[in-house]
Amino acid sequence: MTGMHSYLAAAAVAFALSLFVNPTAGAAVVTSQSKYSTWMAESIMSRRQGIMTGQGGSSELLQAGITQHALTALAAQYPSGAETPRVVRYFQDSAASVIPFTLNATRDALSYPMDRLSNGNALLTLAAAYYSNGTASTQSRAAADALRRSIDLNRRNSEGGLWYYVYPEWSYLDGMYSLAPFYTEYALAAASSSSFRGVDGDGENATAEALDDMSYQLDLLWTRTRNATTGLLAHGYDASRTAVWADPVTGASPHVWGRSLGWYAMALVDTLEVLSHSSSTATAAIACTYRDRILEKWQSLATALINAVDAATGGWWQVLDEPGRDGNYIESSGTAMFAYALLKGARLGYLPAKEHNKAVPTGIRAHKYLTDTYVVREANGTLGYNGTVAVCSLNSTATYEYYVGQPINYNSVLGSAAYVLASLEVELLGR
């Protein structure tokens, strides 16, 4: 499939080969590991996490999406690894599990949070893998198309901002991780490939409209939630400014929740990668325009994250704007996300030299703290992962006490899959 040029495209060939050369690759098993990325990934698979069942609550599609992201990155980084056939098979199972739940665009838009879109790139990758082997992949492509169409059907506030879920007028940072890379990937593929016809048609106009909207969603959240002093972004905003927590001027929520900002940070870096790998002459100039806009945000946010790191531990607080306050703690999912984003952003050249030289040791130190503090070696040979907070919602008081009072979930894949991604970046550095 010419034009599949995303940050997942490098893995597509390896996936295709593994999917069909090893069509009956075995169930996940955990072996003696020397790499934390592989060890944690196999532990996730052994727990059957990231498989959509319809019984896992409102974050289940996001659990599947970040699992697919981590496994794709792992297979791409270690294509000859002994575990790769199992990883690829599990990726396929995870992507296939979401298809029955995502084929109806209207239901997607009205019944699921924007987190649903986190599965879009995996579905495109799966479709590309089948395509490259000359076999049909109508279901995975149909699901990807439905997810793309659901963006157009998603409810919006008066400013054109996408509702994160069913809460009127509310937009969250969280949704950008799922929206921006998929929206971008789909738009560029539609413009650059004669065999890929998008739901909004092909050509530069359709691509520019989609990328305009993607960039606008990032802009709205940036403008509405960013603290000019710290450079950090609050959890979300209410365009109507009627929520109990809404700032009367901006509509912003009052606190910086670590994981929501982690989703946004990953969205910036992953979308930059998609735009940077635009290989088509028809899309390169368009991609460059949006790349520059997002790069400016990422460089500003990276500086703010480096400044916000806890000096004693190297991690990041659950509530970033209240460091050291009684009840606050270093949270493991946000810390893993920030480590991943900083290390990947530095590796791909998205930071100037001064910030690059700070980002790398900051990311390495954060990963080491996570490994020493929150990674648990279980008796059965798997790795557990602790310190990940449950889902925090703006459908609440959004007070400091609310954020620090939410339960900690052991083995939450929202944390452990982010740890896999951070581990892969550390391993690329030879650590």
Side-chain angles (χ1 to χ4, degrees):
M1 182 178 288
T2 304
M4 292 300 294
H5 44 254
S6 75
Y7 69 99
L8 295 175
V13 174
F15 269 41
L17 291 172
S18 298
L19 283 167
F20 296 99
V21 174
N22 302 288
T24 58
V29 295
V30 178
T31 57
S32 177
Q33 302 292 344
S34 59
K35 300 187 294 288
Y36 278 105
S37 63
T38 303
W39 196 352
M40 185 63 78
E42 295 221 70
S43 300
I44 290 169
M45 294 189 293
S46 75
R47 294 188 283 268
R48 297 297 295 171
Q49 294 179 290
I51 301 294
M52 184 73 181
T53 66
Q55 305 298 316
S58 62
S59 71
E60 192 173 24
L61 280 169
L62 183 57
Q63 294 173 41
I66 193 169
T67 299
Q68 294 155 13
H69 185 180
L71 296 183
T72 304
L74 180 63
Q77 188 159 317
Y78 300 119
S80 301
E83 71 286 342
T84 299
R86 294 191 297 274
V87 169
V88 170
R89 174 57 58 184
Y90 198 90
F91 163 88
Q92 183 188 35
D93 289 347
S94 176
S97 76
V98 309
I99 290 175
F101 298 92
T102 56
L103 285 169
N104 184 312
T106 301
R107 184 183 68 179
D108 292 349
L110 301 181
S111 302
Y112 296 126
M114 285 179 62
D115 303 336
R116 66 187 183 272
L117 303 171
S118 64
N119 296 272
N121 282 355
L123 292 168
L124 289 176
T125 297
L126 190 61
Y130 279 106
Y131 185 93
S132 68
N133 281 269
T135 58
S137 181
T138 56
Q139 289 286 288
S140 55
R141 177 59 198 273
D145 286 346
L147 287 175
R148 169 59 189 87
R149 192 174 291 111
S150 78
I151 300 172
D152 298 336
L153 299 173
N154 205 94
R155 289 162 288 202
R156 295 178 182 243
N157 62 36
S158 59
E159 300 175 323
L162 292 161
W163 294 15
Y164 171 71
Y165 193 20
V166 297
Y167 314 121
E169 310 296 316
W170 298 1
S171 297
Y172 290 22
L173 298 182
D174 313 34
M176 293 302 100
Y177 166 78
S178 304
L179 173 84
F182 170 61
Y183 210 175
T184 304
E185 169 66 24
Y186 192 101
L188 292 176
S192 60
S193 171
S194 59
S195 61
F196 188 108
R197 182 165 182 80
V199 297
D200 286 340
D202 308 325
E204 292 185 16
N205 288 341
T207 298
E209 288 177 8
L211 294 181
D212 269 341
D213 190 36
M214 176 276 297
S215 180
Y216 182 64
Q217 300 306 317
L218 293 170
D219 287 345
L220 273 177
L221 283 157
W222 185 270
T223 301
R224 291 295 185 184
T225 68
R226 184 173 180 270
N227 182 295
T229 302
T230 67
L232 301 173
L233 281 64
H235 190 171
Y237 77 98
D238 171 15
S240 71
R241 301 166 184 80
T242 59
V244 65
W245 43 257
D247 181 276
V249 177
T250 65
S253 59
H255 291 293
V256 180
W257 176 36
R259 187 160 74 228
S260 68
L261 187 55
W263 292 125
Y264 190 90
M266 291 200 297
L268 296 180
V269 172
D270 290 344
T271 304
L272 280 170
E273 187 177 22
V274 177
L275 291 167
S276 299
H277 289 168
S278 179
S279 57
S280 164
T281 303
T283 61
I286 299 174
C288 185
T289 298
Y290 296 95
R291 180 186 181 276
D292 291 345
R293 296 180 192 174
I294 297 173
L295 184 63
E296 183 178 2
K297 288 184 176 63
W298 163 241
Q299 291 179 349
S300 173
L301 180 57
T303 298
L305 292 174
I306 292 169
N307 291 337
V309 74
D310 177 56
T313 64
W316 283 269
W317 297 91
Q318 157 73 347
V319 182
L320 267 70
D321 55 302
E322 297 281 1
R325 182 173 170 180
D326 187 41
N328 209 354
Y329 57 91
I330 303 300
E331 199 275 332
S332 67
S333 64
T335 294
M337 292 173 180
F338 295 141
Y340 162 73
L342 288 171
L343 290 170
K344 182 174 180 177
R347 173 172 61 84
L348 295 179
Y350 301 151
L351 293 172
K354 181 179 178 181
E355 295 306 307
H356 176 284
N357 293 337
K358 294 178 182 177
V360 172
T362 299
I364 292 172
R365 185 182 180 213
H367 180 266
K368 183 178 188 306
Y369 178 77
L370 291 171
T371 303
D372 293 345
T373 307
Y374 292 123
V375 172
V376 179
R377 298 193 179 204
E378 304 284 14
N380 65 359
T382 65
L383 289 181
Y385 197 72
N386 209 353
T388 297
V389 71
V391 172
C392 295
S393 173
L394 287 178
N395 187 31
S396 66
T397 59
T399 60
Y400 173 79
E401 290 75 19
Y402 166 77
Y403 284 105
V404 299
Q406 295 308 292
I408 299 297
N409 288 341
Y410 187 60
N411 281 338
S412 168
V413 77
L414 302 181
S416 57
Y419 176 79
V420 171
L421 290 167
S423 297
L424 288 167
E425 293 298 326
V426 170
E427 289 160 17
L428 280 172
L429 295 169
R431 303 299 180 107

